[in-house]
């Protein structure tokens, strides 16, 4: 069987889609067409507290309205927690994950205390303070007792051990619309001991995304620049789990008229609102730099 480039659009149904999502989805479809590939849709609904069935329905409606088509079945991450749990267990067996009982508040206080001495505490690429390692050195008995007592805990990656064990080299290939490729060195250390399994769910965005991209045979990831730095961590997880690394394209983000990044949290106008105001899909496609009509599928 010949190789078919495989793309995916992978929204999280924790809000309504806006122009930024439309751009990402249309760009994936555009790439798939240019490269003679296929487009998958994946619903990244691991965050059970924030995801809503109505937002999933909204994703289907908005993408269909934009003229997009994708291959069935649509993968829903919430159906696959057992798989993510098994991947985490593999890392844990190798001593690469450790339980962390710290709350957000404890971490903020520890960091504030250290920063009160005048030295800034190092941050990860998203601006969050790097984990100070408080739980890394807990004794096995202490951990067993606290886990046994049902104390909530996340699982963090032991970055030093992970870097020592990960097969080299750590890099990925960046590609662009013209097909040009470039090698990018991954620097996962800048994420420190990142959370790989959250306290509230048996996975995290980072773990499920690498497991699913591999399982679905995704060869080309097209997503926003806000996830570019996270790719370094994804490459590390891929090497540790023996998964292939797709090629990556991180596109610029779409800004609103005031220069703010469009995001669900800032209540940017949703595609559904534009539609209700009489804006057509052709106008949205054009505004985002795509042909007004989708290519008819044959
Ligand atoms: N689910 C993520 C989001 O909605 C995108 C994940 C990805 O493309 O890797 O931001």
């Amino acid at each position: 069987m010949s190789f078919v480039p495989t793309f995916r659009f992978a929204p999280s149904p924790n809000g309504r889609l806006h122009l930024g999502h439309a751009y990402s989805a249309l760009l994936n479809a555009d790439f798939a067409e240019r490269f003679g590939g296929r487009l998958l849709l994946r619903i990244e609904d691991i965050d059970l507290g924030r995801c809503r069935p109505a937002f999933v329905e909204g994703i289907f409606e908005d993408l269909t309205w934009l003229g997009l088509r994708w291959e069935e079945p649509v993968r829903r991450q919430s159906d696959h927690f057992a798989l993510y749990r098994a991947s985490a267990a593999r890392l844990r067996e190798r001593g690469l994950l450790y339980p962390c009982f710290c709350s957000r508040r404890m971490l903020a206080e520890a960091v504030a205390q250290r920063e009160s001495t005048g030295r800034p505490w190092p941050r990860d690429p998203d601006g969050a303070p790097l984990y100070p390692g408080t739980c890394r050195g807990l004794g096995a008995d202490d951990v067993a007792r606290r886990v046994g007592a049902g104390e909530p805990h996340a699982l963090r990656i032991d970055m030093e051990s992970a870097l020592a064990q990960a097969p080299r080299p750590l890099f990925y290939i960046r590609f662009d619309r013209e097909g040009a490729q470039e090698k990018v060195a991954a620097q996962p250390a800048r994420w420190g001991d990142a959370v790989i399994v959250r306290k509230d769910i048996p996975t995290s965005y980072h773990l499920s995304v690498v497991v699913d991209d591999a399982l679905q045979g995704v060869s080309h990831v097209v997503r926003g620049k806000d996830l570019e730095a996270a790719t370094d961590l994804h490459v590390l997880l891929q090497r540790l789990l023996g998964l292939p690394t797709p090629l990556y394209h991180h596109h610029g983000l779409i800004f609103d008229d005031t220069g703010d990044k469009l995001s669900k949290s800032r209540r940017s106008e949703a595609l559904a609102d534009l539609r209700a105001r009489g804006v057509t899909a052709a106008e949205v496609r054009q505004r985002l730099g795509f042909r007004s009509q989708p290519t008819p599928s044959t």
Side-chain angles (χ1 to χ4, degrees), residues 8-14 21 24 28 42-45 77 205 209 213 221-224 226-227 234 248 264:
R8 81 332 187 247
F9 177 55
S12 303
N14 53 17
H21 295 104
S24 203
N28 265 288
R42 184 167 72 227
I43 304 293
E44 299 210 323
D45 57 350
Q77 291 191 320
Y205 158 62
V209 84
D213 281 341
V221 171
V222 175
R223 60 185 178 195
D226 50 342
L227 293 171
H234 299 174
Y248 288 91
K264 284 173 277 201

Side-chain angles (χ1 to χ4, degrees), residues 120-170:
W121 186 253
R123 312 254 151 184
D124 73 19
D126 285 347
L130 289 188
Y131 180 62
T134 323
C135 289
R136 199 188 301 123
L138 291 178
D141 289 351
D142 195 10
V143 168
R145 183 184 52 75
R146 293 170 77 169
V147 171
E151 197 175 324
H153 59 277
L155 294 178
R156 289 183 179 275
I157 192 160
D158 180 335
M159 185 53 76
E160 219 179 290
S161 309
L163 286 172
Q165 281 195 34
R168 292 295 193 274
L170 294 178

Side-chain angles (χ1 to χ4, degrees), residues 16-179:
R16 297 188 301 164
L17 299 190
H18 53 70
L19 283 175
H21 295 104
Y23 180 72
S24 203
L26 288 166
L27 189 61
N28 265 288
D30 184 69
F31 264 118
E33 195 191 320
R34 273 168 196 256
F35 289 21
R38 50 205 276 264
L39 177 64
L40 308 178
L41 173 62
R42 184 167 72 227
I43 304 293
E44 299 210 323
D45 57 350
I46 55 170
D47 194 332
L48 301 174
R50 293 174 64 216
C51 294
R52 301 271 176 276
F55 293 137
V56 177
E57 286 314 309
I59 290 171
F60 293 135
E61 269 173 45
D62 291 342
L63 298 182
T64 305
W65 176 68
L66 284 170
L68 293 169
R69 300 282 173 274
W70 52 88
E71 278 188 20
E72 299 287 342
V74 171
R75 184 173 176 84
R76 290 188 188 218
Q77 291 191 320
S78 59
D79 291 338
H80 303 284
F81 283 128
L83 182 69
Y84 311 134
R85 211 181 259 122
S87 299
R90 282 178 53 205
L91 295 174
R92 198 157 176 202
E93 278 156 21
R94 288 160 60 191
L96 297 176
L97 300 182
Y98 65 88
C100 170
F101 302 93
C102 298
S103 65
R104 258 175 223 269
R105 206 166 115 223
M106 284 162 68
L107 287 177
E109 279 169 12
V111 170
Q113 201 187 13
R114 292 185 195 211
E115 286 191 328
S116 69
T117 63
R119 275 190 309 149
W121 186 253
R123 312 254 151 184
D124 73 19
D126 285 347
L130 289 188
Y131 180 62
T134 323
C135 289
R136 199 188 301 123
L138 291 178
D141 289 351
D142 195 10
V143 168
R145 183 184 52 75
R146 293 170 77 169
V147 171
E151 197 175 324
H153 59 277
L155 294 178
R156 289 183 179 275
I157 192 160
D158 180 335
M159 185 53 76
E160 219 179 290
S161 309
L163 286 172
Q165 281 195 34
R168 292 295 193 274
L170 294 178
F171 74 94
Y172 63 91
I173 304 284
R174 173 194 287 159
F175 69 100
D176 70 16
R177 264 171 132 159
E178 280 65 50

